[in-house]
Amino acid sequence: MNTTHFRSEDLAARFEREYGAAPDGIWQAPGRVNLIGEHTDYNEGFVLPFAIDRAARVAVRVRDDTTVRLLSTYGDHGLATVGLERLEPESAKGWTKYPLGVLWALREAGITVPGIDLLLDSDVPLGAGLSSSHAIECAVITALNDLTGAGMTAQDMVLATQRAENGFVGAPTGIMDQSASLRGTEGHAVFLDCRDQNATLVPFETAPAGLVLLVIDTKVSHSHADGGYASRRAACQLGAEVLGVKALRDVQIGDLPEAAGLLDETTFRRVRHVVTENDRVLQTVERLKAEGPSSIGALLDASHASMRDDFEISCPELDLAVETARAHGAIGARMTGGGFGGAAIALTPVGAEPEVRAAVVRAFAEAGYAEPDVFTVSPAPGARRIA
């Protein structure tokens, strides 16, 4: 369902058909694009994501018992029913683990959570690295915060959804995705210091600069709960231990020559990516403030090369998307998200957009890959109640 055609009354009517009563309200939370700063969040570093104009929406009604009933508008999954008292880490399957993980995390934090009926709708592409799962979690926790009167701040909700991801879903993710979804603002990216959770809004508007930000969804599915993500995180932890620092955030570019002599080759390359990526985030923030988005193309390119060569989380489809977009007019491009699939972004002059779109689709066809989905995104408001 496209956001431009979404009507909250349609979801409310569907909820009433399915559950026999009207919802107490409808809440939505956006997906996110990470402009730059990949795998830096769990290293206490810097990231620069923004909330996008595609979102997950939940219609919710509080029940008078401890039963949770979950239903989605997409896919043939059927109604899922579970008792709050039976929630156990990694017990849920499919999309239901995200709302159930939020319920579990709130209960673990001592917040009294009622049973609920929930209907989910989302137009955030699945498996594209645009944080469809965190959009669900942030919509759910925003709804529960309102419905229970828990009084959680944005930071409280960020940390609670991280607990849900780490402790219930079993994905060792950081706080970037939730922070973008909960703290995002139209026309801005969220500059996040992952050490102290300090968030600063940075202007990021492409239209005044004559640019669009294209997302190229390769349709190569990825998962944060798989071994590739976990092994990269373990390498970062090993690097920090050997270098005697709390986190790789504390390693500077000038420290890399010495680090090369202390670490094995693979661990060093993982560390080098994180250290140089942190520096690229800081440079991007300064350039956006001083010169605008037309000045950041080279930093996007360098970020992709680092993820491809040092962190080794790209894939042939992502590399083809980036290379083709750059060859046909994009001023900078990189894969975005956790890697091993998902999406790339291409910062593109408005006049070159048709050619970039056509060239990427053509290149994928010639390579025998599935047709990618190419669309534009803009910085959008964060999680909120919409009905």
Side-chain angles (χ1 to χ4, degrees):
M1 183 183 294
N2 191 286
T3 48
T4 56
H5 299 115
F6 173 79
R7 295 193 306 162
S8 58
E9 55 263 35
D10 294 340
L11 191 59
R14 171 73 179 272
F15 183 98
E16 192 160 0
R17 287 199 306 272
E18 298 289 353
Y19 290 117
D24 293 330
I26 299 175
W27 291 260
Q28 79 170 28
R32 67 96 187 94
V33 157
N34 191 23
L35 186 60
I36 196 164
E38 226 64 75
H39 290 264
T40 49
D41 58 343
Y42 55 81
N43 289 294
E44 300 187 10
F46 306 104
V47 291
L48 190 65
F50 62 90
I52 62 173
D53 46 356
R54 292 191 174 213
R57 305 167 192 90
V58 291
V60 182
R61 179 168 63 94
V62 173
R63 298 174 56 88
D64 58 6
D65 57 21
T66 59
T67 298
V68 177
R69 296 193 296 177
L70 306 169
L71 194 63
S72 167
T73 63
Y74 56 87
D76 185 22
H77 302 300
L79 182 70
T81 303
V82 66
L84 284 173
E85 65 281 355
R86 296 200 302 274
L87 290 180
E88 296 290 341
E90 301 187 54
S91 61
K93 304 297 181 185
W95 72 271
T96 65
K97 61 191 174 186
Y98 304 113
L100 292 176
V102 170
L103 289 163
W104 172 86
L106 293 179
R107 282 167 58 88
E108 288 288 300
I111 296 173
T112 300
V113 179
I116 58 172
D117 291 335
L118 181 148
L119 177 63
L120 168 70
D121 173 80
S122 180
D123 62 2
V124 184
L126 301 177
L130 302 181
S131 201
S132 57
S133 60
H134 287 94
I136 295 171
E137 292 168 349
C138 292
V140 171
I141 201 166
T142 302
L144 291 171
N145 192 37
D146 286 353
L147 291 170
T148 64
M152 288 181 286
T153 65
Q155 182 172 336
D156 294 334
M157 291 190 283
V158 165
L159 296 177
T161 50
Q162 185 190 23
R163 283 196 298 273
E165 280 282 313
N166 296 169
F168 190 87
V169 176
T173 55
I175 62 169
M176 174 181 66
D177 299 344
Q178 306 95 318
S179 297
S181 188
L182 289 161
R183 292 169 156 161
T185 300
E186 189 172 4
H188 293 78
V190 181
F191 174 45
L192 180 66
D193 183 332
C194 296
R195 170 158 283 171
D196 61 12
Q197 285 89 53
N198 182 56
T200 306
L201 295 175
V202 177
F204 179 63
E205 294 185 279
T206 54
L211 300 168
V212 294
L213 191 72
L214 286 173
V215 172
I216 304 164
D217 179 2
T218 66
K219 302 297 181 70
V220 179
S221 185
H222 75 144
S223 171
H224 277 173
D226 67 12
Y229 185 100
S231 70
R232 297 308 185 278
R233 184 161 185 166
C236 292
Q237 291 170 338
L238 173 62
E241 290 171 8
V242 172
L243 297 176
V245 293
K246 181 174 182 286
L248 293 184
R249 149 73 169 272
D250 300 309
V251 182
Q252 306 302 314
I253 288 180
D255 300 326
L256 289 175
E258 181 182 359
L262 297 172
L263 301 168
D264 66 86
E265 181 187 354
T266 298
T267 304
F268 172 70
R269 285 189 287 109
R270 306 295 188 250
V271 167
R272 182 168 59 187
H273 164 72
V274 173
V275 173
T276 57
E277 187 80 344
N278 273 325
D279 184 67
R280 284 186 287 269
V281 174
L282 297 176
Q283 288 190 57
T284 300
V285 169
E286 291 309 309
R287 291 190 188 184
L288 285 174
K289 290 178 179 178
E291 304 172 59
S294 61
S295 65
I296 67 170
L299 291 166
L300 302 183
D301 292 343
S303 176
H304 184 78
S306 181
M307 290 184 287
R308 181 192 64 213
D309 301 335
D310 276 354
F311 223 61
E312 296 182 286
I313 53 171
S314 190
C315 65
E317 292 87 348
L318 285 169
D319 292 340
L320 181 62
V322 166
E323 292 159 9
T324 304
R326 286 291 282 115
H328 290 270
I331 67 169
R334 65 185 286 272
M335 57 152 282
T336 185
F340 311 103
I345 56 174
L347 191 59
T348 304
V350 171
E353 179 188 349
E355 182 179 350
V356 170
R357 285 177 177 267
V360 168
V361 171
R362 185 170 61 248
F364 270 56
E366 291 172 354
Y369 299 148
E371 183 175 343
D373 188 14
V374 185
F375 53 92
T376 62
V377 293
S378 300
R384 65 198 191 280
R385 183 172 185 159
I386 59 171

